[in-house]
Amino acid sequence: MKEIRFFYVPDAQKQTELPPEEAMHAMRVLRLKGGDEMFLMDGKGNYFRAEVTIAATHHCYYEIKECLPQEPQWKGHKHLAIAPTKTLDRIEWMIEKATEVGIDEISFLNCQYSERRLLKTTRLDRIAISAMKQSHKAWKPVLNEMEHLKHYLELPRKGKKYIAHCYNEIPRTYLFDELLKNEDDEEVTVMIGPEGDFSFEEVKECIDKGYKSVHLGDSRLRTETAGLVAVLMMQLAK
């Protein structure tokens, strides 16, 4: 059976041409030609069966033959808020794997002990798109621009909220046990700190803002590993 190739076209129904990067892949790598079938995804829950109408060196035009709305693969809205690592390729790896597993939204935090204070999401967004296509996810995760923790906490957020940290002085429960209690399929947010963890004061501030204190198990995890474990727990508890 021939493998289905997906192309990401955010406004697929309003367009008739693949975006430049997607067109280059379709023409130079897959060598599509007029009349060939292709599948598009808009990252908003829809697949489209389409047919190539014009195949040129740098352009690929299409006609949509069928809209194929997809059912969500999980319930609720799953959100990870994480302080990015100093080494960028580690957070890029996490974005790729979290997208493959399944996540709705990722926020990036600037915390007291953060070793990375600036982050451009353009490349991360491309990584998420590639992972979305590879894993056949109908929704593209929202990647929010990096912001200071205090500003992030000022934004209202519905549902269950958790902050994972390593301070034994503050009572913590196991995140997975807490997620299993979420029978109402509410929105879930899990916060992961930087490589030096959240500061003690930041943890207390988050708890004051309604975040429940949790841990991810007995092992001490790297930031990107902790982020992926949190995403896996959110999915397994769905």
Side-chain angles (χ1 to χ4, degrees):
M1 181 178 179
K2 187 177 181 181
E3 181 182 357
I4 296 175
R5 297 285 187 172
F6 282 98
F7 299 90
Y8 176 58
V9 188
D11 296 309
Q13 288 181 299
K14 298 179 181 179
Q15 306 296 327
T16 57
E17 181 181 2
L18 292 183
E21 284 190 14
E22 299 288 73
M24 183 178 299
H25 183 69
M27 297 297 95
R28 295 188 178 182
V29 179
L30 301 179
R31 300 186 182 279
L32 296 184
K33 57 186 182 300
D36 282 349
E37 184 178 70
M38 63 197 308
F39 284 85
L40 316 178
M41 49 172 51
D42 62 3
K44 302 167 188 173
N46 298 300
Y47 293 164
F48 303 92
R49 185 174 63 83
E51 182 179 292
V52 177
T53 55
I54 300 177
T57 306
H58 301 289
H59 299 275
C60 181
Y61 293 87
Y62 63 83
E63 178 183 354
I64 291 178
K65 297 297 184 179
E66 184 180 8
C67 178
L68 304 167
Q70 301 298 295
E71 291 292 329
Q73 294 179 325
W74 57 87
K75 298 178 181 179
H77 184 91
K78 304 186 187 302
H79 175 218
L80 176 70
I82 187 169
T85 55
K86 181 179 180 180
T87 306
L88 192 57
D89 60 359
R90 286 164 55 188
I91 205 69
E92 290 176 350
W93 173 86
M94 192 217 73
I95 296 296
E96 179 183 72
K97 302 311 173 189
T99 302
E100 291 177 11
V101 171
I103 190 74
D104 293 298
E105 182 180 359
I106 301 176
S107 296
F108 301 102
L109 306 175
N110 182 0
C111 303
Q112 184 175 337
Y113 297 148
S114 289
E115 295 189 80
R116 175 171 288 278
R117 303 291 180 180
L118 297 173
L119 182 72
K120 294 182 179 179
T121 59
T122 304
R123 174 173 167 78
L124 297 181
D125 200 59
R126 290 200 298 267
I127 290 171
I129 290 170
S130 178
M132 176 189 71
K133 292 193 295 182
Q134 189 276 331
S135 58
H136 294 187
K137 293 291 187 296
W139 281 264
K140 186 180 79 66
V142 174
L143 302 185
N144 298 317
E145 295 295 332
M146 189 173 182
E147 60 184 332
H148 196 280
L149 176 61
K150 288 187 178 295
H151 296 155
Y152 169 83
L153 290 175
E154 291 174 359
L155 300 174
R157 188 161 288 281
K158 300 177 181 178
K160 304 292 186 181
K161 301 181 292 185
Y162 305 97
I163 176 170
H165 63 88
C166 299
Y167 292 100
N168 293 323
E169 305 93 319
I170 302 176
R172 299 173 295 159
T173 53
Y174 186 39
L175 174 61
F176 191 62
D177 289 341
E178 292 295 331
L179 293 171
L180 288 174
K181 300 175 185 177
N182 185 24
E183 297 178 353
D184 297 327
D185 301 322
E186 293 184 82
E187 177 175 337
V188 175
T189 296
V190 180
M191 294 178 64
I192 302 294
E195 289 151 295
D197 205 349
F198 295 105
S199 70
F200 192 86
E201 294 74 19
E202 286 174 332
V203 174
K204 297 295 287 184
E205 183 178 5
C206 290
I207 292 174
D208 290 342
K209 293 288 187 180
Y211 284 79
K212 191 175 179 95
S213 172
V214 297
H215 65 85
L216 302 178
D218 296 330
S219 299
R220 192 175 183 89
L221 306 175
R222 288 179 178 268
T223 295
E224 73 278 11
T225 308
L228 183 57
V229 167
V231 173
L232 284 165
M233 285 184 178
M234 284 189 275
Q235 281 293 347
L236 290 172
K238 66 183 180 181

